[in-house]
Amino acid sequence: MTVFFMNMQKNITIAIQKDGRLSQHSIGYLAGRGICAQKNGRRLVSVCNATNTRILWVRDDDIPHYVESGVADCGIVGTNVLAERGVSIPIISYLDFAYCKLVIAAPRANRICSLSDLRGKKIATSYPRVLQKTLKENNIRADIIYFRGSVEIAPELGLSDAICDLSQTGATLREHNMTPFHTILESQAVLIGTYTIPHNTVSRPLSTKHVL
Ligand code: PRP
Ligand code: ZN
């Protein structure tokens, strides 16, 4: 697919994560290109008048959909989200932030230390598709239990034997007495879509007006 350089005469829409690991870096990345992304309270759309850019503040998991549907010209998302969604949206550039890993981990007491130890076990995750693929490739049959978030709490509540979730600093796993023993993928932020954002899109001072 052809990737166009952004024409700032045209109204461009960019989808970014409203709250989470990608948010601050996404704002900084856009600021470095002259685009002012400034959230207005709970309003989920803002506008940078200086660059004719509309910012959509959305959940990271939904960003591929905004881009695929053409509602957004581009978006900033982690490769973890793209892998789980399993669609091929063009990656314009790797952004060198929001590094994390999708790992499988278990409480020490459960004595699950390798993929083969997962046979017949329950694994809680927000990444059922990627996990299923990994299990299948390793001929492991296990029960996958889907949670949208807060996966680390599942083992101590007796809902699962292990988890498959993102780890960045590892602090959340440690707080839940879990040790990661397998990395499924490594993730970082990427710009996806059909437009790339050039450096120095504007040379004049920025102003931001929010859509009310
Ligand atoms: C991820 C993951 C962990 C946390 C790990 O959550 O689910 O809770 O980050 O980070 P750490 O290793 O630095 O402790 P995320 O922020 O993506 O929220 P979500 O799972 O609710 O989407
Ligand atoms: Zn998330």
Side-chain angles (χ1 to χ4, degrees), residues 30-185:
L30 295 177
R33 278 147 185 80
I35 299 169
C36 182
Q38 199 176 335
K39 203 155 169 263
N40 181 17
R42 301 185 82 84
R43 179 75 184 151
L44 302 176
V45 182
S46 69
V47 170
C48 171
N49 287 324
T51 55
N52 289 328
T53 306
R54 184 170 64 151
I55 308 293
L56 307 181
W57 303 82
V58 295
R59 279 184 58 105
D60 62 345
D61 335 44
D62 293 333
I63 288 173
H65 180 68
Y66 285 98
V67 173
E68 262 189 316
S69 64
V71 166
D73 299 288
C74 56
I76 296 175
V77 71
T79 50
N80 56 304
V81 168
L82 296 182
E84 180 61 21
R85 226 181 133 81
V87 290
S88 55
I89 300 176
I91 292 176
I92 299 166
S93 51
Y94 288 79
L95 301 184
D96 202 27
F97 61 76
Y99 284 98
C100 57
K101 294 177 178 179
L102 184 66
V103 301
I104 305 179
R108 290 174 195 94
N110 287 2
R111 297 178 185 278
I112 297 172
C113 310
S114 67
L115 288 179
S116 56
D117 292 338
L118 291 168
R119 285 204 170 83
K121 303 292 187 190
K122 291 179 184 168
I123 312 166
T125 190
S126 307
Y127 295 82
R129 186 182 172 124
V130 175
L131 175 59
Q132 182 60 60
K133 184 167 176 282
T134 299
L135 294 176
K136 197 173 171 190
E137 283 167 0
N138 289 277
N139 296 313
I140 309 263
R141 283 194 186 193
D143 290 335
I144 296 176
I145 303 164
Y146 176 72
F147 288 91
R148 288 193 92 152
S150 306
V151 166
E152 292 89 347
I153 205 171
E156 71 186 58
L157 298 178
L159 295 172
S160 76
D161 303 296
I163 67 154
C164 168
D165 199 10
L166 293 181
S167 178
Q168 186 167 9
T169 63
T172 309
L173 288 177
R174 282 194 295 278
E175 282 296 319
H176 294 83
N177 298 311
M178 282 189 274
T179 311
F181 59 85
H182 182 80
T183 298
I184 295 183
L185 58 84

